[in-house]
PDB file of all heavy atoms in Angstrom:
ATOM      1  N   ARG A 163     -43.070  41.302 -47.488  1.00 97.00           N
ATOM      2  CA  ARG A 163     -42.957  42.529 -48.237  1.00 97.00           C
ATOM      3  C   ARG A 163     -41.584  43.251 -47.879  1.00 97.00           C
ATOM      4  O   ARG A 163     -40.938  43.793 -48.706  1.00 97.00           O
ATOM      5  CB  ARG A 163     -44.115  43.513 -47.927  1.00 97.00           C
ATOM      6  CG  ARG A 163     -45.443  42.987 -48.469  1.00 97.00           C
ATOM      7  CD  ARG A 163     -46.615  43.843 -47.995  1.00 97.00           C
ATOM      8  NE  ARG A 163     -47.891  43.328 -48.414  1.00 97.00           N
ATOM      9  CZ  ARG A 163     -48.544  43.674 -49.473  1.00 97.00           C
ATOM     10  NH1 ARG A 163     -48.087  44.587 -50.330  1.00 97.00           N
ATOM     11  NH2 ARG A 163     -49.722  43.102 -49.734  1.00 97.00           N
ATOM     12  N   ALA A 164     -41.240  43.193 -46.562  1.00 97.00           N
ATOM     13  CA  ALA A 164     -39.951  43.832 -46.155  1.00 97.00           C
ATOM     14  C   ALA A 164     -38.775  43.092 -46.640  1.00 97.00           C
ATOM     15  O   ALA A 164     -37.765  43.636 -47.085  1.00 97.00           O
ATOM     16  CB  ALA A 164     -39.979  43.952 -44.656  1.00 97.00           C
ATOM     17  N   LYS A 165     -38.857  41.681 -46.767  1.00 96.00           N
ATOM     18  CA  LYS A 165     -37.729  40.841 -47.107  1.00 96.00           C
ATOM     19  C   LYS A 165     -37.446  40.839 -48.634  1.00 96.00           C
ATOM     20  O   LYS A 165     -36.377  40.994 -49.065  1.00 96.00           O
ATOM     21  CB  LYS A 165     -37.937  39.444 -46.594  1.00 96.00           C
ATOM     22  CG  LYS A 165     -36.877  38.419 -47.051  1.00 96.00           C
ATOM     23  CD  LYS A 165     -35.561  38.692 -46.381  1.00 96.00           C
ATOM     24  CE  LYS A 165     -34.585  37.519 -46.746  1.00 96.00           C
ATOM     25  NZ  LYS A 165     -33.299  37.762 -46.212  1.00 96.00           N
ATOM     26  N   TRP A 166     -38.518  40.592 -49.386  1.00 97.00           N
ATOM     27  CA  TRP A 166     -38.444  40.450 -50.781  1.00 97.00           C
ATOM     28  C   TRP A 166     -39.049  41.589 -51.696  1.00 97.00           C
ATOM     29  O   TRP A 166     -38.952  41.585 -52.822  1.00 97.00           O
ATOM     30  CB  TRP A 166     -39.115  39.128 -51.280  1.00 97.00           C
ATOM     31  CG  TRP A 166     -38.318  37.952 -50.737  1.00 97.00           C
ATOM     32  CD1 TRP A 166     -37.185  37.455 -51.221  1.00 97.00           C
ATOM     33  CD2 TRP A 166     -38.597  37.093 -49.622  1.00 97.00           C
ATOM     34  NE1 TRP A 166     -36.735  36.430 -50.470  1.00 97.00           N
ATOM     35  CE2 TRP A 166     -37.617  36.141 -49.495  1.00 97.00           C
ATOM     36  CE3 TRP A 166     -39.666  37.021 -48.677  1.00 97.00           C
ATOM     37  CZ2 TRP A 166     -37.610  35.175 -48.521  1.00 97.00           C
ATOM     38  CZ3 TRP A 166     -39.660  36.114 -47.738  1.00 97.00           C
ATOM     39  CH2 TRP A 166     -38.653  35.160 -47.625  1.00 97.00           C
ATOM     40  N   GLY A 167     -39.663  42.443 -51.027  1.00 97.00           N
ATOM     41  CA  GLY A 167     -40.188  43.734 -51.679  1.00 97.00           C
ATOM     42  C   GLY A 167     -41.478  43.583 -52.379  1.00 97.00           C
ATOM     43  O   GLY A 167     -41.928  44.471 -53.145  1.00 97.00           O
ATOM     44  N   VAL A 168     -42.155  42.460 -52.299  1.00 97.00           N
ATOM     45  CA  VAL A 168     -43.399  42.133 -52.963  1.00 97.00           C
ATOM     46  C   VAL A 168     -44.342  41.448 -52.046  1.00 97.00           C
ATOM     47  O   VAL A 168     -43.907  40.835 -51.095  1.00 97.00           O
ATOM     48  CB  VAL A 168     -43.156  41.270 -54.235  1.00 97.00           C
ATOM     49  CG1 VAL A 168     -42.242  41.972 -55.244  1.00 97.00           C
ATOM     50  CG2 VAL A 168     -42.614  39.906 -53.893  1.00 97.00           C
ATOM     51  N   PRO A 169     -45.634  41.526 -52.268  1.00 97.00           N
ATOM     52  CA  PRO A 169     -46.594  40.759 -51.510  1.00 97.00           C
ATOM     53  C   PRO A 169     -46.523  39.262 -51.748  1.00 97.00           C
ATOM     54  O   PRO A 169     -45.959  38.863 -52.806  1.00 97.00           O
ATOM     55  CB  PRO A 169     -47.957  41.291 -52.006  1.00 97.00           C
ATOM     56  CG  PRO A 169     -47.753  41.794 -53.325  1.00 97.00           C
ATOM     57  CD  PRO A 169     -46.303  42.326 -53.384  1.00 97.00           C
ATOM     58  N   PRO A 170     -46.951  38.433 -50.899  1.00 98.00           N
ATOM     59  CA  PRO A 170     -46.853  36.948 -51.107  1.00 98.00           C
ATOM     60  C   PRO A 170     -47.403  36.455 -52.396  1.00 98.00           C
ATOM     61  O   PRO A 170     -46.808  35.597 -52.999  1.00 98.00           O
ATOM     62  CB  PRO A 170     -47.640  36.417 -49.827  1.00 98.00           C
ATOM     63  CG  PRO A 170     -47.474  37.417 -48.791  1.00 98.00           C
ATOM     64  CD  PRO A 170     -47.540  38.782 -49.546  1.00 98.00           C
ATOM     65  N   THR A 171     -48.464  37.066 -52.848  1.00 98.00           N
ATOM     66  CA  THR A 171     -49.119  36.576 -54.049  1.00 98.00           C
ATOM     67  C   THR A 171     -48.264  36.803 -55.293  1.00 98.00           C
ATOM     68  O   THR A 171     -48.439  36.209 -56.343  1.00 98.00           O
ATOM     69  CB  THR A 171     -50.409  37.265 -54.269  1.00 98.00           C
ATOM     70  OG1 THR A 171     -50.337  38.693 -54.187  1.00 98.00           O
ATOM     71  CG2 THR A 171     -51.479  36.772 -53.237  1.00 98.00           C
ATOM     72  N   SER A 172     -47.214  37.707 -55.208  1.00 98.00           N
ATOM     73  CA  SER A 172     -46.359  38.016 -56.257  1.00 98.00           C
ATOM     74  C   SER A 172     -45.034  37.295 -56.339  1.00 98.00           C
ATOM     75  O   SER A 172     -44.191  37.394 -57.243  1.00 98.00           O
ATOM     76  CB  SER A 172     -46.012  39.541 -56.312  1.00 98.00           C
ATOM     77  OG  SER A 172     -47.130  40.347 -56.500  1.00 98.00           O
ATOM     78  N   ILE A 173     -44.868  36.392 -55.384  1.00 98.00           N
ATOM     79  CA  ILE A 173     -43.606  35.603 -55.218  1.00 98.00           C
ATOM     80  C   ILE A 173     -43.342  34.793 -56.416  1.00 98.00           C
ATOM     81  O   ILE A 173     -42.170  34.817 -56.932  1.00 98.00           O
ATOM     82  CB  ILE A 173     -43.593  34.811 -53.965  1.00 98.00           C
ATOM     83  CG1 ILE A 173     -43.403  35.680 -52.676  1.00 98.00           C
ATOM     84  CG2 ILE A 173     -42.434  33.768 -54.015  1.00 98.00           C
ATOM     85  CD1 ILE A 173     -42.054  36.330 -52.594  1.00 98.00           C
ATOM     86  N   PRO A 174     -44.287  34.061 -56.998  1.00 98.00           N
ATOM     87  CA  PRO A 174     -44.030  33.302 -58.160  1.00 98.00           C
ATOM     88  C   PRO A 174     -43.478  34.135 -59.380  1.00 98.00           C
ATOM     89  O   PRO A 174     -42.588  33.836 -60.144  1.00 98.00           O
ATOM     90  CB  PRO A 174     -45.295  32.579 -58.457  1.00 98.00           C
ATOM     91  CG  PRO A 174     -45.988  32.479 -57.256  1.00 98.00           C
ATOM     92  CD  PRO A 174     -45.707  33.757 -56.478  1.00 98.00           C
ATOM     93  N   ASP A 175     -44.132  35.376 -59.531  1.00 98.00           N
ATOM     94  CA  ASP A 175     -43.697  36.293 -60.591  1.00 98.00           C
ATOM     95  C   ASP A 175     -42.292  36.774 -60.294  1.00 98.00           C
ATOM     96  O   ASP A 175     -41.459  36.854 -61.255  1.00 98.00           O
ATOM     97  CB  ASP A 175     -44.695  37.507 -60.671  1.00 98.00           C
ATOM     98  CG  ASP A 175     -46.171  37.088 -60.947  1.00 98.00           C
ATOM     99  OD1 ASP A 175     -46.819  36.538 -60.078  1.00 98.00           O
ATOM    100  OD2 ASP A 175     -46.594  37.207 -62.149  1.00 98.00           O
ATOM    101  N   TYR A 176     -42.006  37.085 -59.106  1.00 98.00           N
ATOM    102  CA  TYR A 176     -40.707  37.644 -58.660  1.00 98.00           C
ATOM    103  C   TYR A 176     -39.633  36.524 -58.931  1.00 98.00           C
ATOM    104  O   TYR A 176     -38.621  36.855 -59.611  1.00 98.00           O
ATOM    105  CB  TYR A 176     -40.776  37.940 -57.136  1.00 98.00           C
ATOM    106  CG  TYR A 176     -39.382  38.219 -56.533  1.00 98.00           C
ATOM    107  CD1 TYR A 176     -38.865  39.563 -56.633  1.00 98.00           C
ATOM    108  CD2 TYR A 176     -38.678  37.241 -55.804  1.00 98.00           C
ATOM    109  CE1 TYR A 176     -37.733  39.878 -56.047  1.00 98.00           C
ATOM    110  CE2 TYR A 176     -37.446  37.649 -55.303  1.00 98.00           C
ATOM    111  CZ  TYR A 176     -36.975  38.865 -55.411  1.00 98.00           C
ATOM    112  OH  TYR A 176     -35.729  39.190 -54.818  1.00 98.00           O
ATOM    113  N   LEU A 177     -39.892  35.269 -58.599  1.00 98.00           N
ATOM    114  CA  LEU A 177     -38.900  34.233 -58.867  1.00 98.00           C
ATOM    115  C   LEU A 177     -38.731  33.912 -60.336  1.00 98.00           C
ATOM    116  O   LEU A 177     -37.581  33.653 -60.728  1.00 98.00           O
ATOM    117  CB  LEU A 177     -39.370  32.929 -58.094  1.00 98.00           C
ATOM    118  CG  LEU A 177     -39.286  32.965 -56.600  1.00 98.00           C
ATOM    119  CD1 LEU A 177     -39.949  31.704 -55.927  1.00 98.00           C
ATOM    120  CD2 LEU A 177     -37.851  33.166 -56.096  1.00 98.00           C
TER     121      LEU A 177
END
Side-chain angles (χ1 to χ4, degrees):
R163 293 171 187 265
K165 174 69 174 179
W166 290 285
V168 298
T171 53
S172 295
I173 288 292
D175 299 77
Y176 173 85
L177 293 174

